[in-house]
Amino acid sequence: MTDAEDRKPKSDEVRSAFLPPAGTGVDGDMSTTSEFAIPDGLALRGAAGAESETTSEFAVPQGLDVHAAPAVEQEGSAFTPPSTYSSKHAPTAFTPPSGIPVVSLTKDVPWQDRMRTMLRMPVAERPAPEAIQRGGDESGPAVPRVLDLTLRIGELLLAGGEGAEDVEAAMFAVCRSYGLDRCEPNVTFTLLAISYQPSLVDDPVTASRTVRRRGTDYTRLAAVYQLVDDLSDDETAVSLEEAYRRLAEIRRNRHPYPGWALTGASGLLAGAASVLVGGDLIVFVAAALGAMLGDRLAWLCAGRGLPEFYQFTVAAMPPAAIGIALTLGHVDVKASAVITGGLFALLPGRALVAGVQDGLTGFYITASARLLEVMYFFVGIVAGVLLVLYFGVQLGARLNPDQALGASDDPVMMIGASMLLSLAFAVLLQQERSTVMWVTLNGGVAWVVYGAMHYVGDISPVASTAAAAGLVGLFGQLLSRYQFASALPYTTAAIGPLLPGSATYFGLLAIAQNEIDEGLVSLSKAVALAMAIAIGVNLGSEISRMFLRIGSAEKRRAAKRTRGF
């Protein structure tokens, strides 16, 4: 027998530890049972006659009542309210750990400042307006009609040259005046859009409008501002139909000045600008004739449907041609002053100020488009003047830039010329007659500050221009607050004497005489002066908004209550 067989136990000797001793089996039979076997005499409920079955550990025990699971909710839109949500019994809003910052909104400031402040706040933190019924309808006006009125008002403001932030503030004010507080206006260079969402669970309503035509008419701009001011006033109670009627009247109104007055204003502007750079009476007349001829040619091109680029190119040629003719005729006049005066009437100061303002307030797309428009206008002026100067130099005209460098020694005449320039500029901008006097005085103050800093204090022209433009923006904002109107009619014409006409001409003349380096330096100086004007105007306006609280309490105390806060 092998060792394996010796180690293998015999079958009759093998007993499991779980087997009972011999003779203790059921019915005397030997049986093998597990330790988990049910002992004899222990009866389990439901065990008799039941077959063993395998169940999950997550099975619900018997005797435990469980309600039936709810039916699966039908999948819907992202704006579909949940079945457990009720807008009338909404849960308490969650407050972040850092808290919600408290924004101080003064009730006596103009509506422009209030709307601008709320536009810079998140939608959830804006104060809700009071429910004011306009027109007698308890349900309020239709949302699409309110949005359409808002877009039409914004279109007139944007087409009139208003800044993007001020257009958004006006659109937001119109919506809030009719109880639409959860609205978001969006303004770009050619597109206006507005979206209104009643609540977080309602579908938003969005509308847009394209601005295709632009025209300078500050009288219409002031009328639109007056309409928005009346809509924002609680006591006027302008209904939606009345607002539509007044808006239609504003669009149908004619310009306050006829065409011949605009042509004469362009001549006066060019003549006054020529005096500022050292011209005499003959120069004044020559510059005025050149500017008026250029204005009529530009009107002729506009009537034929030519773009504004070619209009500026054609308008810049007559003043340059007259200056070249006087030089070739050996007339003892400052031909450079004639050409410089003609350029003053064409420089796009309004578009430049609006473009820089949009950039400083965060509207970079609109600012880029406006500045690109200014660049195209400037290139058109450069093309027209360079074309004439090139032919003049080829014909033997000797233009000396040093002739126009010396200003007049009579400060009274210089101040009078600057005020005349601002007056003519205001007429060209189609301003209301009531604002012409104020903007004329503002232009005189601007030149006094510039002359005192640059000619007397020997300060750089860029710093002097920036300081004078800042004072223009400050005074313009103060005057607009008293009148509850736009600040553009009080600032745009006042910066006319500060425009870099002479620096632009000297740069073009140097390029025409093949002195490229000197020409680029002079043009860079012109760009620096233009940026100083725009930044100064915007800075003066912001300072007045931050520190001065005037205009409302004295004039219309009861009518300027702010709703909701």
Side-chain angles (χ1 to χ4, degrees), residues 408-470:
S408 175
D409 296 332
D410 189 358
V412 177
M413 186 177 66
M414 300 292 289
I415 296 174
S418 63
M419 295 178 66
L420 180 61
L421 192 152
S422 299
L423 173 64
F425 204 173
V427 175
L428 285 176
L429 294 174
Q430 304 281 358
Q431 293 190 196
E432 290 182 305
R433 292 177 174 85
S434 60
T435 64
V436 172
M437 181 187 66
W438 295 108
V439 73
T440 302
L441 294 176
N442 201 6
V445 171
W447 184 259
V448 168
V449 174
Y450 173 79
M453 295 182 64
H454 178 56
Y455 296 112
V456 180
D458 199 17
I459 302 177
S460 66
V462 176
S464 303
T465 302

Side-chain angles (χ1 to χ4, degrees), residues 114-137:
R114 301 199 312 267
M115 299 300 110
R116 187 181 294 107
T117 302
M118 284 188 286
L119 277 175
R120 296 174 181 177
M121 299 169 57
V123 180
E125 300 176 12
R126 294 174 184 169
E130 295 180 1
I132 298 178
Q133 303 299 333
R134 298 177 184 267
D137 188 4

Side-chain angles (χ1 to χ4, degrees), residues 495-527:
I495 64 174
L498 305 176
L499 293 176
S502 58
T504 303
Y505 164 70
F506 294 150
L508 299 180
L509 178 60
I511 294 176
Q513 294 176 346
N514 293 326
E515 299 176 357
I516 307 299
D517 294 338
E518 295 182 4
L520 293 179
V521 170
S522 184
L523 290 179
S524 300
K525 178 182 177 181
V527 173

Side-chain angles (χ1 to χ4, degrees), residues 155-162 189 211-221 255 299 308 350 370 373 377 428-430 488:
E155 178 189 10
L156 289 181
L157 293 177
L158 187 63
E162 191 62 86
F189 186 61
V211 179
R212 302 190 182 275
R213 295 188 61 185
R214 300 176 182 274
T216 304
D217 189 346
Y218 283 179
T219 300
R220 178 179 296 176
L221 189 70
H255 300 303
W299 275 100
E308 287 184 302
R350 172 186 58 86
R370 289 187 189 272
E373 181 188 36
F377 291 163
L428 285 176
L429 294 174
Q430 304 281 358
L488 286 181

Side-chain angles (χ1 to χ4, degrees), residues 270 286-287 289-295 314-325 335 338-343 346 385 388:
L289 289 176
M292 288 189 292
L293 181 58
D295 180 77
V314 172
M317 290 182 177
I322 292 179
I324 294 294
V338 176
I339 303 176
T340 301
L343 292 179
L346 299 175
V385 175
V388 176

Side-chain angles (χ1 to χ4, degrees), residues 126-365:
R126 294 174 184 169
E130 295 180 1
I132 298 178
Q133 303 299 333
R134 298 177 184 267
D137 188 4
E138 296 182 357
S139 61
V143 173
R145 296 201 66 197
V146 175
L147 298 184
D148 178 71
L149 176 67
T150 303
L151 291 174
R152 292 177 183 272
I153 290 177
E155 178 189 10
L156 289 181
L157 293 177
L158 187 63
E162 191 62 86
E165 187 179 30
D166 294 327
V167 175
E168 284 196 358
M171 295 172 64
F172 189 65
V174 174
C175 288
R176 284 184 65 91
S177 64
Y178 290 102
L180 307 184
D181 58 327
R182 300 180 63 88
C183 60
E184 283 293 337
N186 187 18
V187 176
T188 57
F189 186 61
T190 58
L191 182 65
L192 297 170
I194 188 167
S195 178
Y196 169 68
Q197 188 175 6
S199 64
L200 295 176
V201 296
D202 291 328
D203 296 339
V205 180
T206 304
S208 61
R209 194 173 183 88
T210 303
V211 179
R212 302 190 182 275
R213 295 188 61 185
R214 300 176 182 274
T216 304
D217 189 346
Y218 283 179
T219 300
R220 178 179 296 176
L221 189 70
V224 175
Y225 259 80
Q226 184 61 46
L227 174 59
V228 178
D229 182 64
D230 292 340
L231 290 175
S232 302
D233 185 13
D234 299 348
E235 296 187 353
T236 54
V238 179
S239 64
L240 190 63
E241 300 299 332
E242 177 67 16
Y244 266 107
R245 186 189 62 79
R246 290 180 56 179
L247 187 62
E249 292 179 355
I250 293 173
R251 299 178 70 95
R252 287 195 302 265
N253 281 347
R254 299 195 175 193
H255 300 303
Y257 306 102
W260 62 267
L262 298 179
T263 302
S266 64
L268 289 177
L269 192 153
S274 66
V275 174
L276 288 178
V277 292
D280 52 10
L281 181 60
I282 299 178
V283 172
F284 180 94
V285 175
L289 289 176
M292 288 189 292
L293 181 58
D295 180 77
R296 287 294 92 191
L297 290 177
W299 275 100
L300 181 62
C301 294
R304 297 296 184 270
L306 290 179
E308 287 184 302
F309 175 84
Y310 300 105
Q311 297 177 26
F312 275 81
T313 302
V314 172
M317 290 182 177
I322 292 179
I324 294 294
L326 292 176
T327 303
L328 293 176
H330 302 287
V331 181
D332 189 14
V333 295
K334 295 181 179 180
S336 299
V338 176
I339 303 176
T340 301
L343 292 179
F344 263 86
L346 299 175
L347 293 178
R350 172 186 58 86
L352 176 66
V353 172
V356 175
Q357 180 180 358
D358 288 341
L360 295 176
T361 52
F363 294 84
Y364 301 114
I365 297 178

Side-chain angles (χ1 to χ4, degrees), residues 32-95:
T32 303
T33 60
S34 170
E35 64 178 345
F36 299 104
I38 300 174
D40 295 340
L42 180 60
L44 294 179
R45 184 182 302 175
E51 297 180 0
S52 62
E53 58 181 7
T54 303
T55 61
S56 172
E57 61 180 344
F58 299 103
V60 181
Q62 296 181 0
L64 180 61
D65 296 332
V66 180
H67 297 286
V72 180
E73 184 177 355
Q74 184 179 2
E75 183 178 359
S77 170
F79 300 100
T80 303
S83 59
T84 58
Y85 179 82
S86 175
S87 58
K88 296 182 179 180
H89 304 285
T92 306
F94 173 74
T95 302

